Amino acid sequence: MKTSVPTYHAKAPFADMGGQGSHTQLAPTPLVDGFNRQLTYLRLSVTDFCNFRCDYCLPNGYQGKRPDDELTLAEIDTLFDGFVSLGTKKVRLTGGEPSVRRDLADIIALAKQHGIAKIAISSNGYKLAKHLSSWQNAGLNQLNLSIDSFDKNIFKKITGFDILPTLLNDVDKLLQMTDIKLKMNGILMHDTAYDNLLSALDFVKERPVTYRFIEFMQTSDNADLFFAQNQTAQFIKDYLVTHGWQPKPKVQDDGPAIEYIHPDYAGSIGIIEPYAKNFCDSCNRLRVSSLGKVHLCLFDSQNYDIRPYLATQDKKGLMTALKGLMPIKPEHHYLDSHSGMMNNLSLVGG
Ligand code: SAM
Ligand code: SF4
């Protein structure tokens, strides 16, 4: 499979800290990077594979065969064990499309067993109703669904799938039958943004759901679409403020989204602006790919192989390795200067 990030060989930098097999007693301190940010949020991609072909992400669909060496449950067990001992409080299972993994509910249950307080999934919602009860029973707290349009035909054009009515039905089932917190994400594109905003406002009027507009990020696979469709979120903020919406004060561990609330609406509207100046200031996340590589930042050109520790259930080695990476977590994503570096976001889960 094509990847734009060079494979990193674990031995060299980890050797500075004793490397794999160095089992000196570790103080149970949380992960803190060189900019004093506590990293309490793990985003784990459980598969690269995706069944959709969103035009901004995988316009030609997933290329090649799905890898047969994705992290196993046993490896994920060690991963959670090590991360929790280093202060992880929230995990997001993402992809690719995480729901294509048959053992996704088992992965959720593992996270729960390890005492992770918030367990979230990012999904395209394909056959959502079929999965809901197993995810809920396993301990899922939050679901982020990609719903890039409320128009059936536009949804089909973007994703390649004519499933919007079914998906929205399933969303209502989720709201009625589970206590899973729901957020919806829609990519912000010039041609659809205004209609999407009006539909989203309508949708959240009676439903306790946050609909979040994500500014479109440029990758090497979407350059033409990016230049045709990229659109800042400013007009959405202006529209909301002139219609009586107010930004909700942030509390600790809130992500980078700014959420707007209105007394007449059950739900809220969120804005995610990765190109905004201070977007990375409160970063609290680390990413791990489905093959066991740590990505210190979504757009970092390097990745760091921790699979040897996972494969040998070497929790202490894993913890030492993770701590050793802290000084080199980049301060920013530097998206403006190297926007074409990542092929697409399905590789590390957006
Ligand atoms: N398949 C799942 C889904 O669609 O939610 C999880 C993986 S997807 C890569 C995670 C998020 O990244 C989705 O909300 C998607 O819209 C977003 N995304 C993908 N490509 C993007 C891009 N170029 N710019 C901004 N967001 C993007
Ligand atoms: Fe698949 Fe999600 Fe990318 Fe769409 S955004 S192609 S659903 S990984």
Side-chain angles (χ1 to χ4, degrees), residues 50 52-54 56-58 96 124 346:
C50 188
F52 274 28
R53 39 183 186 276
C54 300
Y56 55 85
C57 182
L58 290 174
N124 60 27
S346 77

PDB file of all heavy atoms in Angstrom, residues 50 52-54 56-58 96 124 346, ligand 2:
ATOM      1  N   CYS A  50     -11.231   1.278   3.853  1.00  0.00           N
ATOM      2  CA  CYS A  50     -12.524   1.948   3.911  1.00  0.00           C
ATOM      3  C   CYS A  50     -13.406   1.472   2.771  1.00  0.00           C
ATOM      4  O   CYS A  50     -12.929   1.249   1.654  1.00  0.00           O
ATOM      5  CB  CYS A  50     -12.363   3.462   3.842  1.00  0.00           C
ATOM      6  SG  CYS A  50     -13.954   4.264   4.139  1.00  0.00           S
ATOM      7  N   PHE A  52     -16.027   3.279   1.732  1.00  0.00           N
ATOM      8  CA  PHE A  52     -16.549   4.450   1.023  1.00  0.00           C
ATOM      9  C   PHE A  52     -15.476   4.999   0.076  1.00  0.00           C
ATOM     10  O   PHE A  52     -14.314   4.601   0.146  1.00  0.00           O
ATOM     11  CB  PHE A  52     -16.944   5.543   2.031  1.00  0.00           C
ATOM     12  CG  PHE A  52     -18.345   5.401   2.579  1.00  0.00           C
ATOM     13  CD1 PHE A  52     -18.956   4.167   2.668  1.00  0.00           C
ATOM     14  CD2 PHE A  52     -19.047   6.517   3.027  1.00  0.00           C
ATOM     15  CE1 PHE A  52     -20.245   4.032   3.183  1.00  0.00           C
ATOM     16  CE2 PHE A  52     -20.331   6.406   3.533  1.00  0.00           C
ATOM     17  CZ  PHE A  52     -20.931   5.164   3.618  1.00  0.00           C
ATOM     18  N   ARG A  53     -15.895   5.940  -0.759  1.00  0.00           N
ATOM     19  CA  ARG A  53     -14.911   6.629  -1.610  1.00  0.00           C
ATOM     20  C   ARG A  53     -15.228   8.119  -1.611  1.00  0.00           C
ATOM     21  O   ARG A  53     -15.603   8.689  -2.645  1.00  0.00           O
ATOM     22  CB  ARG A  53     -14.874   6.033  -3.017  1.00  0.00           C
ATOM     23  CG  ARG A  53     -16.207   5.645  -3.595  1.00  0.00           C
ATOM     24  CD  ARG A  53     -16.074   5.007  -4.965  1.00  0.00           C
ATOM     25  NE  ARG A  53     -17.383   4.783  -5.561  1.00  0.00           N
ATOM     26  CZ  ARG A  53     -18.140   3.721  -5.311  1.00  0.00           C
ATOM     27  NH1 ARG A  53     -17.727   2.770  -4.490  1.00  0.00           N
ATOM     28  NH2 ARG A  53     -19.325   3.613  -5.889  1.00  0.00           N
ATOM     29  N   CYS A  54     -15.095   8.724  -0.438  1.00  0.00           N
ATOM     30  CA  CYS A  54     -15.400  10.154  -0.328  1.00  0.00           C
ATOM     31  C   CYS A  54     -14.471  10.934  -1.250  1.00  0.00           C
ATOM     32  O   CYS A  54     -13.263  10.676  -1.274  1.00  0.00           O
ATOM     33  CB  CYS A  54     -15.238  10.610   1.113  1.00  0.00           C
ATOM     34  SG  CYS A  54     -16.345   9.717   2.220  1.00  0.00           S
ATOM     35  N   TYR A  56     -13.161  13.758  -1.212  1.00  0.00           N
ATOM     36  CA  TYR A  56     -12.086  14.564  -0.637  1.00  0.00           C
ATOM     37  C   TYR A  56     -11.038  13.689   0.068  1.00  0.00           C
ATOM     38  O   TYR A  56     -10.028  14.189   0.556  1.00  0.00           O
ATOM     39  CB  TYR A  56     -12.671  15.572   0.368  1.00  0.00           C
ATOM     40  CG  TYR A  56     -13.503  14.922   1.446  1.00  0.00           C
ATOM     41  CD1 TYR A  56     -12.924  14.406   2.588  1.00  0.00           C
ATOM     42  CD2 TYR A  56     -14.887  14.794   1.296  1.00  0.00           C
ATOM     43  CE1 TYR A  56     -13.676  13.779   3.567  1.00  0.00           C
ATOM     44  CE2 TYR A  56     -15.657  14.171   2.276  1.00  0.00           C
ATOM     45  CZ  TYR A  56     -15.044  13.670   3.407  1.00  0.00           C
ATOM     46  OH  TYR A  56     -15.799  13.042   4.371  1.00  0.00           O
ATOM     47  N   CYS A  57     -11.322  12.384   0.177  1.00  0.00           N
ATOM     48  CA  CYS A  57     -10.451  11.506   0.987  1.00  0.00           C
ATOM     49  C   CYS A  57      -9.919  10.346   0.151  1.00  0.00           C
ATOM     50  O   CYS A  57      -8.712  10.236  -0.063  1.00  0.00           O
ATOM     51  CB  CYS A  57     -11.236  11.013   2.194  1.00  0.00           C
ATOM     52  SG  CYS A  57     -10.298   9.974   3.331  1.00  0.00           S
ATOM     53  N   LEU A  58     -10.824   9.482  -0.305  1.00  0.00           N
ATOM     54  CA  LEU A  58     -10.419   8.342  -1.144  1.00  0.00           C
ATOM     55  C   LEU A  58     -11.262   8.367  -2.422  1.00  0.00           C
ATOM     56  O   LEU A  58     -12.133   7.505  -2.596  1.00  0.00           O
ATOM     57  CB  LEU A  58     -10.671   7.030  -0.409  1.00  0.00           C
ATOM     58  CG  LEU A  58      -9.809   6.677   0.790  1.00  0.00           C
ATOM     59  CD1 LEU A  58     -10.321   5.404   1.463  1.00  0.00           C
ATOM     60  CD2 LEU A  58      -8.353   6.493   0.369  1.00  0.00           C
ATOM     61  N   GLY A  96      -9.288   4.900   8.005  1.00  0.00           N
ATOM     62  CA  GLY A  96     -10.177   3.991   7.357  1.00  0.00           C
ATOM     63  C   GLY A  96     -11.564   3.958   8.003  1.00  0.00           C
ATOM     64  O   GLY A  96     -11.965   4.887   8.667  1.00  0.00           O
ATOM     65  N   ASN A 124     -18.265   6.215   9.195  1.00  0.00           N
ATOM     66  CA  ASN A 124     -19.127   6.739   8.122  1.00  0.00           C
ATOM     67  C   ASN A 124     -20.575   6.278   8.308  1.00  0.00           C
ATOM     68  O   ASN A 124     -21.451   6.661   7.550  1.00  0.00           O
ATOM     69  CB  ASN A 124     -18.586   6.352   6.733  1.00  0.00           C
ATOM     70  CG  ASN A 124     -18.492   4.831   6.539  1.00  0.00           C
ATOM     71  OD1 ASN A 124     -19.228   4.060   7.150  1.00  0.00           O
ATOM     72  ND2 ASN A 124     -17.573   4.413   5.665  1.00  0.00           N
ATOM     73  N   SER A 346      -7.323   8.868   5.408  1.00  0.00           N
ATOM     74  CA  SER A 346      -7.731   7.511   5.814  1.00  0.00           C
ATOM     75  C   SER A 346      -6.539   6.743   6.389  1.00  0.00           C
ATOM     76  O   SER A 346      -6.703   5.746   7.069  1.00  0.00           O
ATOM     77  CB  SER A 346      -8.335   6.743   4.639  1.00  0.00           C
ATOM     78  OG  SER A 346      -7.318   6.300   3.780  1.00  0.00           O
TER      79      SER A 346
HETATM   80 FE1  SF4 B   2     -13.648   6.478   4.186  1.00  0.00          FE
HETATM   81 FE2  SF4 B   2     -13.917   8.214   6.184  1.00  0.00          FE
HETATM   82 FE3  SF4 B   2     -12.228   8.711   4.125  1.00  0.00          FE
HETATM   83 FE4  SF4 B   2     -14.857   8.777   3.700  1.00  0.00          FE
HETATM   84  S1  SF4 B   2     -13.691  10.141   5.076  1.00  0.00           S
HETATM   85  S2  SF4 B   2     -13.325   7.729   2.397  1.00  0.00           S
HETATM   86  S3  SF4 B   2     -15.577   7.228   5.040  1.00  0.00           S
HETATM   87  S4  SF4 B   2     -12.012   7.113   5.621  1.00  0.00           S
END
